[in-house]
Amino acid sequence: MTTSPSDIDHQLGNDAQILWRIIQLCLHYRGRVLIAVGATVIAALFQLAVPPLLGSAVDGALGLLDTVSSAKSDARTTLFQTAALLLGVSILRGLFTLIHNYTGEAVGHMMANGLRLAFYNKLQGLSFSFHDRVHTGELITRGMLDLEGVRMFVSTGLMRLVLLTILIGAGSYLLLSADLILGAMSLSFVPFVAWKSAMARLKLRSLWLALQERMGVIGRIMDENLTGIRVVRAFGAENYELAKYGEAADTAMALADQRIKTRVASTTIMTFAYFIAMGLVLWVGGLRVLEGRLTVGDLTEFLTFMTILQSPVRQLGLLVNSFARASTTGRRLFAVLDLEPTIADRPGAKPLQIKDSLVSYENVSFSYDGDDGLPTLHGVSFKVQRGRSLGIVGPPGAGKSTIAHLLTRFYDVSDGRITLDGQDVRDVTLESLRRQVLAVPQDPFLFTTSLENNIAYGDPWAEDGSIVNAASLAQIDTFIGSLPEGYSTLVGERGVSLSGGQKQRIAIARTAMLEPAVLILDDSTAAIDAGTEQQIRELLKAPMKSCATIFISHRLRTLLHADEIIFLKGGRIIERGTHDSLIAQGGHYAELHFLQNQLDNELDNNPSSIKGAAQ
Ligand code: ATP
């Protein structure tokens, strides 16, 4: 079962509180933030110095038309000085822009890096009940895309806010104080463009979110298709899969089209509004020049201010978008970061002390859905200790693997208790418990690294000799030796593809590297042939003397030598005893034994009839 995002999200405060939390994270890099803000202010001031300089340069250039030679020469000098000043201001503005861009981006990246590590760390600690509920894709989206939204807030949100406030604020003041009417005309496009830009950005954002959601669906369809490619081909379902993919792709295309239309329309309208305002200023300003109330340089100054302001005003939309995005993505990211694992070390938890490796289940009941859910296990009790073994058998879904999950504290019991050498597993540190209780699952996971690294996963400093020993115990050393690159062979997409049985044997070798107090073999030889399983069992006899062993299997021959066998049905132990006593009881176990024996005999006596039936 997976959860909808709202199941993870909880009350985290309003948008302003989320943004303040991001700002506080930035303030860990106070020095750089100060440099970035300082450089932004200076760069903005230099940019505002350009229009007056251009204005006086134009007036200076007009002075060259003067017929009096001394005036002409003065004008030339003024022109050169202004041009030099303009060049200097432009260089300094460029320099400070560079500093503010670099430091602003750097702060964003440093903060994102810290968040990335914290997020990954959190995922390692969150309980299995959380991972059961939340889709992996959802977590990857939060840790990648949402984190990116928070990172971008620093450069596109905070730094831009400083820049735009100074440019628009100081620019408007300068224009209005120079000439109230002409200044108001020059600024007339500002409110409309700012509003239009913000609206367009918000619309683009909601379309972007919808598009992302669609892209997520497309990714999921592709992922499932590739993972289950054999099933798709076997059932000839290529056309069905193509239709499913095509439908998702068409919706994504429609959303992308809407985005393009929104962007083009808003850009055109904003440009139109800007040119209308510019036309007005040219008209009224031109009349004032003719009337001698304004110089050509003054008019140039107004027009240059308008050009400088145009881009920041349009960027107000980006600013609004950045704030909206950061509050949404920050909320989603912090929702995970603030979660507390339900399975964690209790205060004062001590490392597990092993004496006899005595595992004791005392009236254990458990439900995956908490107190309100249907119980998966009811009043399960058993004991097993060092050198002894317990076999668990039962129909699918009976709760066999659940028993194993509780011992490693992947989940906590709902009722009763589990102890190891008298210590409640909830009272010892998780690290010491999981170091001493090792389970080999039926469907083991191998990492995309060498076979050697996979085997030595629990003990990365293991010597080559122990890796080879573990591999031979798991009956996989001959196979590894036959590979051209031996133990260095890569596993996975870029390396060797392993069969289910080979993977299981690597997993057994991985566990054999360590010396656990309790070993759980959860159907871990189900994909291994009977002969190899028998050899592994023989070889495991020695290490099993130093630990308590729990076998979980559907195949009775895997566990018939166990010191005690329990038959589980519907989460309850309905039969228990040794193999012989259970056969004598003539119950479920005996019936299963009879059926499996019958099948084995048929196979031994007439293998072709079974094969024929299968075909
Ligand atoms: P099998 O022989 O098929 O491996 P099992 O006896 O090991 O089955 P469990 O895997 O322990 O059975 O599952 C017992 C019950 O608990 C099943 O009904 C299963 O659907 C449910 N269950 C297992 N894992 C979870 C989980 N993570 N969340 C919710 N329910 C679960």
Side-chain angles (χ1 to χ4, degrees), residues 53 56-57 60 73-89:
L53 285 174
S56 51
S73 135
D74 284 352
R76 188 172 291 120
T77 316
T78 315
L79 187 61
F80 279 133
Q81 281 170 350
T82 317
L85 215 60
L86 202 59
L87 185 69
V89 164

PDB file of all heavy atoms in Angstrom, residues 53 56-57 60 73-89:
ATOM      1  N   LEU A  53      24.323  59.441 -16.441  1.00  0.00           N
ATOM      2  CA  LEU A  53      25.571  59.577 -17.197  1.00  0.00           C
ATOM      3  C   LEU A  53      25.289  59.593 -18.696  1.00  0.00           C
ATOM      4  O   LEU A  53      25.855  60.401 -19.436  1.00  0.00           O
ATOM      5  CB  LEU A  53      26.520  58.418 -16.856  1.00  0.00           C
ATOM      6  CG  LEU A  53      27.208  58.524 -15.488  1.00  0.00           C
ATOM      7  CD1 LEU A  53      27.996  57.263 -15.177  1.00  0.00           C
ATOM      8  CD2 LEU A  53      28.134  59.738 -15.458  1.00  0.00           C
ATOM      9  N   SER A  56      23.862  62.987 -19.654  1.00  0.00           N
ATOM     10  CA  SER A  56      24.840  64.074 -19.819  1.00  0.00           C
ATOM     11  C   SER A  56      25.756  63.802 -21.011  1.00  0.00           C
ATOM     12  O   SER A  56      26.244  64.744 -21.654  1.00  0.00           O
ATOM     13  CB  SER A  56      25.627  64.334 -18.539  1.00  0.00           C
ATOM     14  OG  SER A  56      26.153  63.155 -18.052  1.00  0.00           O
ATOM     15  N   ALA A  57      25.986  62.506 -21.358  1.00  0.00           N
ATOM     16  CA  ALA A  57      26.788  62.201 -22.546  1.00  0.00           C
ATOM     17  C   ALA A  57      26.080  62.704 -23.800  1.00  0.00           C
ATOM     18  O   ALA A  57      26.700  63.302 -24.694  1.00  0.00           O
ATOM     19  CB  ALA A  57      27.025  60.694 -22.636  1.00  0.00           C
ATOM     20  N   GLY A  60      26.323  66.315 -23.884  1.00  0.00           N
ATOM     21  CA  GLY A  60      27.702  66.634 -24.268  1.00  0.00           C
ATOM     22  C   GLY A  60      27.884  66.493 -25.764  1.00  0.00           C
ATOM     23  O   GLY A  60      28.487  67.350 -26.427  1.00  0.00           O
ATOM     24  N   SER A  73      35.025  72.598 -27.763  1.00  0.00           N
ATOM     25  CA  SER A  73      36.114  71.863 -27.104  1.00  0.00           C
ATOM     26  C   SER A  73      35.706  71.443 -25.688  1.00  0.00           C
ATOM     27  O   SER A  73      36.005  70.334 -25.244  1.00  0.00           O
ATOM     28  CB  SER A  73      37.372  72.734 -27.126  1.00  0.00           C
ATOM     29  OG  SER A  73      38.007  72.731 -25.922  1.00  0.00           O
ATOM     30  N   ASP A  74      34.934  72.359 -24.978  1.00  0.00           N
ATOM     31  CA  ASP A  74      34.432  71.988 -23.639  1.00  0.00           C
ATOM     32  C   ASP A  74      33.520  70.769 -23.722  1.00  0.00           C
ATOM     33  O   ASP A  74      33.584  69.849 -22.905  1.00  0.00           O
ATOM     34  CB  ASP A  74      33.631  73.144 -23.024  1.00  0.00           C
ATOM     35  CG  ASP A  74      34.557  74.238 -22.509  1.00  0.00           C
ATOM     36  OD1 ASP A  74      35.791  73.988 -22.506  1.00  0.00           O
ATOM     37  OD2 ASP A  74      34.051  75.309 -22.133  1.00  0.00           O
ATOM     38  N   ALA A  75      32.673  70.809 -24.745  1.00  0.00           N
ATOM     39  CA  ALA A  75      31.713  69.703 -24.917  1.00  0.00           C
ATOM     40  C   ALA A  75      32.448  68.394 -25.157  1.00  0.00           C
ATOM     41  O   ALA A  75      32.065  67.335 -24.640  1.00  0.00           O
ATOM     42  CB  ALA A  75      30.793  70.009 -26.094  1.00  0.00           C
ATOM     43  N   ARG A  76      33.537  68.471 -25.973  1.00  0.00           N
ATOM     44  CA  ARG A  76      34.312  67.257 -26.274  1.00  0.00           C
ATOM     45  C   ARG A  76      34.900  66.680 -24.973  1.00  0.00           C
ATOM     46  O   ARG A  76      34.827  65.487 -24.720  1.00  0.00           O
ATOM     47  CB  ARG A  76      35.427  67.604 -27.275  1.00  0.00           C
ATOM     48  CG  ARG A  76      36.151  66.367 -27.773  1.00  0.00           C
ATOM     49  CD  ARG A  76      37.125  66.647 -28.899  1.00  0.00           C
ATOM     50  NE  ARG A  76      36.470  67.015 -30.133  1.00  0.00           N
ATOM     51  CZ  ARG A  76      36.633  68.165 -30.776  1.00  0.00           C
ATOM     52  NH1 ARG A  76      37.426  69.092 -30.274  1.00  0.00           N
ATOM     53  NH2 ARG A  76      36.008  68.418 -31.903  1.00  0.00           N
ATOM     54  N   THR A  77      35.481  67.623 -24.152  1.00  0.00           N
ATOM     55  CA  THR A  77      36.079  67.170 -22.887  1.00  0.00           C
ATOM     56  C   THR A  77      35.029  66.504 -22.011  1.00  0.00           C
ATOM     57  O   THR A  77      35.231  65.410 -21.475  1.00  0.00           O
ATOM     58  CB  THR A  77      36.684  68.374 -22.117  1.00  0.00           C
ATOM     59  OG1 THR A  77      37.393  69.178 -23.035  1.00  0.00           O
ATOM     60  CG2 THR A  77      37.591  67.923 -20.989  1.00  0.00           C
ATOM     61  N   THR A  78      33.862  67.185 -21.884  1.00  0.00           N
ATOM     62  CA  THR A  78      32.781  66.619 -21.049  1.00  0.00           C
ATOM     63  C   THR A  78      32.373  65.246 -21.573  1.00  0.00           C
ATOM     64  O   THR A  78      32.167  64.298 -20.815  1.00  0.00           O
ATOM     65  CB  THR A  78      31.543  67.553 -21.078  1.00  0.00           C
ATOM     66  OG1 THR A  78      31.978  68.881 -20.914  1.00  0.00           O
ATOM     67  CG2 THR A  78      30.550  67.174 -19.992  1.00  0.00           C
ATOM     68  N   LEU A  79      32.284  65.165 -22.902  1.00  0.00           N
ATOM     69  CA  LEU A  79      31.849  63.905 -23.509  1.00  0.00           C
ATOM     70  C   LEU A  79      32.813  62.776 -23.179  1.00  0.00           C
ATOM     71  O   LEU A  79      32.413  61.673 -22.772  1.00  0.00           O
ATOM     72  CB  LEU A  79      31.736  64.084 -25.031  1.00  0.00           C
ATOM     73  CG  LEU A  79      31.122  62.893 -25.775  1.00  0.00           C
ATOM     74  CD1 LEU A  79      29.700  62.625 -25.300  1.00  0.00           C
ATOM     75  CD2 LEU A  79      31.112  63.166 -27.269  1.00  0.00           C
ATOM     76  N   PHE A  80      34.111  63.077 -23.312  1.00  0.00           N
ATOM     77  CA  PHE A  80      35.131  62.045 -23.019  1.00  0.00           C
ATOM     78  C   PHE A  80      35.085  61.631 -21.558  1.00  0.00           C
ATOM     79  O   PHE A  80      35.157  60.448 -21.224  1.00  0.00           O
ATOM     80  CB  PHE A  80      36.533  62.542 -23.392  1.00  0.00           C
ATOM     81  CG  PHE A  80      36.809  62.405 -24.863  1.00  0.00           C
ATOM     82  CD1 PHE A  80      37.367  63.459 -25.593  1.00  0.00           C
ATOM     83  CD2 PHE A  80      36.520  61.203 -25.532  1.00  0.00           C
ATOM     84  CE1 PHE A  80      37.624  63.326 -26.947  1.00  0.00           C
ATOM     85  CE2 PHE A  80      36.777  61.080 -26.893  1.00  0.00           C
ATOM     86  CZ  PHE A  80      37.325  62.146 -27.604  1.00  0.00           C
ATOM     87  N   GLN A  81      34.951  62.656 -20.690  1.00  0.00           N
ATOM     88  CA  GLN A  81      34.916  62.353 -19.243  1.00  0.00           C
ATOM     89  C   GLN A  81      33.706  61.482 -18.905  1.00  0.00           C
ATOM     90  O   GLN A  81      33.799  60.478 -18.183  1.00  0.00           O
ATOM     91  CB  GLN A  81      34.840  63.646 -18.431  1.00  0.00           C
ATOM     92  CG  GLN A  81      36.186  64.331 -18.295  1.00  0.00           C
ATOM     93  CD  GLN A  81      36.054  65.734 -17.704  1.00  0.00           C
ATOM     94  OE1 GLN A  81      34.942  66.268 -17.572  1.00  0.00           O
ATOM     95  NE2 GLN A  81      37.193  66.334 -17.374  1.00  0.00           N
ATOM     96  N   THR A  82      32.569  61.869 -19.491  1.00  0.00           N
ATOM     97  CA  THR A  82      31.346  61.103 -19.207  1.00  0.00           C
ATOM     98  C   THR A  82      31.483  59.676 -19.733  1.00  0.00           C
ATOM     99  O   THR A  82      31.086  58.708 -19.067  1.00  0.00           O
ATOM    100  CB  THR A  82      30.124  61.773 -19.865  1.00  0.00           C
ATOM    101  OG1 THR A  82      30.211  63.157 -19.663  1.00  0.00           O
ATOM    102  CG2 THR A  82      28.840  61.242 -19.271  1.00  0.00           C
ATOM    103  N   ALA A  83      32.047  59.577 -20.941  1.00  0.00           N
ATOM    104  CA  ALA A  83      32.201  58.241 -21.536  1.00  0.00           C
ATOM    105  C   ALA A  83      33.111  57.382 -20.659  1.00  0.00           C
ATOM    106  O   ALA A  83      32.829  56.197 -20.418  1.00  0.00           O
ATOM    107  CB  ALA A  83      32.757  58.360 -22.944  1.00  0.00           C
ATOM    108  N   ALA A  84      34.217  57.993 -20.160  1.00  0.00           N
ATOM    109  CA  ALA A  84      35.145  57.240 -19.303  1.00  0.00           C
ATOM    110  C   ALA A  84      34.451  56.798 -18.020  1.00  0.00           C
ATOM    111  O   ALA A  84      34.596  55.656 -17.564  1.00  0.00           O
ATOM    112  CB  ALA A  84      36.368  58.105 -18.980  1.00  0.00           C
ATOM    113  N   LEU A  85      33.639  57.730 -17.474  1.00  0.00           N
ATOM    114  CA  LEU A  85      32.907  57.420 -16.243  1.00  0.00           C
ATOM    115  C   LEU A  85      31.908  56.282 -16.465  1.00  0.00           C
ATOM    116  O   LEU A  85      31.770  55.357 -15.660  1.00  0.00           O
ATOM    117  CB  LEU A  85      32.151  58.685 -15.797  1.00  0.00           C
ATOM    118  CG  LEU A  85      32.035  58.907 -14.290  1.00  0.00           C
ATOM    119  CD1 LEU A  85      33.415  59.028 -13.675  1.00  0.00           C
ATOM    120  CD2 LEU A  85      31.218  60.171 -14.018  1.00  0.00           C
ATOM    121  N   LEU A  86      31.251  56.381 -17.625  1.00  0.00           N
ATOM    122  CA  LEU A  86      30.261  55.362 -17.978  1.00  0.00           C
ATOM    123  C   LEU A  86      30.912  53.987 -18.073  1.00  0.00           C
ATOM    124  O   LEU A  86      30.396  52.981 -17.577  1.00  0.00           O
ATOM    125  CB  LEU A  86      29.623  55.738 -19.321  1.00  0.00           C
ATOM    126  CG  LEU A  86      28.265  55.138 -19.626  1.00  0.00           C
ATOM    127  CD1 LEU A  86      27.246  55.523 -18.575  1.00  0.00           C
ATOM    128  CD2 LEU A  86      27.783  55.635 -20.985  1.00  0.00           C
ATOM    129  N   LEU A  87      32.105  54.000 -18.707  1.00  0.00           N
ATOM    130  CA  LEU A  87      32.847  52.740 -18.858  1.00  0.00           C
ATOM    131  C   LEU A  87      33.213  52.181 -17.475  1.00  0.00           C
ATOM    132  O   LEU A  87      33.023  50.997 -17.192  1.00  0.00           O
ATOM    133  CB  LEU A  87      34.114  52.985 -19.692  1.00  0.00           C
ATOM    134  CG  LEU A  87      34.918  51.746 -20.036  1.00  0.00           C
ATOM    135  CD1 LEU A  87      34.135  50.878 -21.016  1.00  0.00           C
ATOM    136  CD2 LEU A  87      36.269  52.136 -20.645  1.00  0.00           C
ATOM    137  N   GLY A  88      33.717  53.093 -16.614  1.00  0.00           N
ATOM    138  CA  GLY A  88      34.121  52.670 -15.265  1.00  0.00           C
ATOM    139  C   GLY A  88      32.941  52.108 -14.484  1.00  0.00           C
ATOM    140  O   GLY A  88      33.020  51.038 -13.871  1.00  0.00           O
ATOM    141  N   VAL A  89      31.793  52.829 -14.546  1.00  0.00           N
ATOM    142  CA  VAL A  89      30.594  52.389 -13.821  1.00  0.00           C
ATOM    143  C   VAL A  89      30.146  51.019 -14.337  1.00  0.00           C
ATOM    144  O   VAL A  89      29.797  50.115 -13.560  1.00  0.00           O
ATOM    145  CB  VAL A  89      29.467  53.445 -13.979  1.00  0.00           C
ATOM    146  CG1 VAL A  89      28.118  52.866 -13.586  1.00  0.00           C
ATOM    147  CG2 VAL A  89      29.774  54.660 -13.119  1.00  0.00           C
TER     148      VAL A  89
END
